[in-house]
Amino acid sequence: MQGRDQDGDAVDGGSAGSAAADRELLDRIRAAPVLAGPLPHFDPDTAPAAPGPLFADWLDRALADGVPEPQIVTLSTAAADGTPSARVLLLRGLDSADCAFVFAGDSGSGKGQDLAARPVAALTWYWPAHGRQIRMAGPVDVLGEEATRRDYLGRSPAARIAGFTGRTSAPLDGPGEYEREHRAAEALVAAEPGRVPATHTVYRLRAREAEFFQADPARWHLRLRYTRDGDGWTRTLLWP
Ligand SMILES: Cc1cc2nc3c(=O)[nH]c(=O)nc-3n(C[C@H](O)[C@H](O)[C@H](O)COP(=O)(O)O)c2cc1C
C-alpha cells in the first residue's frame, strides 16, 4: 500500500507508477463532460417565498425526468470535538410547508453519536442531470416512538432484517460474523414482526438556511439562499 510523508510526497517503491496512473486518471476526468446540458431553467424572481415548496418542485421535476435516485442525500455532521463527517442516506420524509426533512439511522452510528453531541446538521443533494445542488442546514431533533415504528415497519423485509443485523459502524470480524448476525436477525423478524430495533432512530432537520444552485452550461450559474426569519424567509442571491 502506498503512504505519504509529511510533505505529501509518495513514499513507497511504486510511487512513479502510481503517480503516472493518477495523472492518467486526472486526464480522463478533465476530458469527461461536466454540466454539458441541456439543463432546466430556473428563474429566482419567480421562485416561491419559502424554500420548502421550491424543494418539492425541484424534487417533483427530478422524479418526472427520471433523475436517478433523487432521494439520496449527503448528511454532514460534526463530532463533539468539531471533527466533520459526511455520508449518504435516504430521505425518509418531507414537510415542505415547514422546510423539514426526515432521515433515519442507528443511534450508535457515527451520525447518531455526532447528533447526540451536536444536534445540528447539513443535507446536500446533487442531481447531475439537472445541474442542481440543494443545501439545507439547521437543528436536528429526534422524532418519537410512533414515527420510529412507522418508519421501521414501513421498510422492505430485507431492510427490516438489516436493521437488526449487527451494529452500524461497529467493527466487524468478518463474513462469518455477518452471516451469523443476519441469520439471527432473520429469525427475530420472523418471530416478532412488530418489533423495532431499540437503536433505530428517526431524525428531523428543520432548515434554518436553504440554498438552491442551478448550474448553467455557459457557467451563468444561479444561487438563491433562503434564511429563516421569524415565520418567514429572507431571500438572497449569491455570487456563484
Ligand atoms: C445509497 C445508500 C443509502 C443509504 N441509506 C442510509 C440510511 O437511510 N440510513 C443510514 O443510517 N445509513 C444509510 N446508508 C449508509 C450510510 O452511508 C453510512 O455508511 C452509515 O449510516 C454509517 O455511517 P456513520 O457511522 O457515519 O453514521 C446508505 C448508504 C448508501 C450507499
Side-chain angles (χ1 to χ4, degrees):
M1 194 188 284
Q2 180 173 316
R4 302 255 158 197
D5 69 13
Q6 283 178 338
D7 300 322
D9 295 318
V11 290
D12 76 1
S15 62
S18 63
D22 289 351
R23 270 198 304 278
E24 194 270 333
L25 279 174
L26 264 178
D27 286 346
R28 277 162 59 204
I29 57 167
R30 285 185 183 140
V34 64
L35 302 177
L39 300 175
H41 178 68
F42 172 54
D43 179 3
D45 285 342
T46 58
L54 184 54
F55 177 87
D57 182 47
W58 280 25
L59 178 60
D60 180 61
R61 174 84 188 264
L63 288 164
D65 289 353
V67 168
E69 304 182 343
Q71 71 275 47
I72 293 177
V73 56
T74 299
L75 169 75
S76 302
T77 56
D81 67 0
T83 306
S85 72
R87 75 292 287 155
V88 296
L89 36 75
L90 299 171
L91 179 66
R92 298 286 299 164
L94 166 68
D95 177 352
S96 60
D98 196 29
C99 202
F101 303 85
V102 174
F103 55 90
D106 191 294
S107 58
S109 66
K111 79 185 89 49
Q113 294 181 40
D114 286 1
L115 290 170
R118 289 181 183 241
V120 61
L123 292 169
T124 312
W125 291 260
Y126 176 53
W127 299 327
H130 281 173
R132 286 179 165 177
Q133 173 182 243
I134 306 173
R135 300 162 63 173
M136 300 284 169
V140 175
D141 58 357
V142 172
L143 298 189
E145 199 181 331
E146 185 44 41
T148 309
R149 285 184 67 75
R150 229 180 309 120
D151 179 80
Y152 175 77
L153 296 175
R155 290 167 178 248
S156 67
R160 273 183 280 132
I161 291 164
F164 273 109
T165 305
R167 286 171 297 133
T168 305
S169 302
L172 169 69
D173 275 352
E177 186 188 16
Y178 197 125
E179 224 177 290
R180 267 197 313 281
E181 289 282 331
H182 193 268
R183 258 190 260 114
E186 257 177 341
L188 194 151
V189 169
E192 297 181 61
R195 185 155 152 198
V196 178
T199 53
H200 184 74
T201 308
V202 180
Y203 300 93
R204 183 186 65 150
L205 182 150
R206 188 166 183 259
R208 199 153 48 198
E209 202 160 276
E211 188 201 303
F212 296 81
F213 185 118
Q214 175 64 66
D216 176 66
R219 306 303 188 260
W220 198 273
H221 306 315
L222 290 166
R223 282 175 77 191
L224 179 62
R225 182 172 68 196
Y226 291 78
T227 308
R228 211 183 270 273
D229 186 5
D231 288 339
W233 294 85
T234 301
R235 291 191 307 179
T236 315
L237 285 174
L238 301 175
W239 280 101

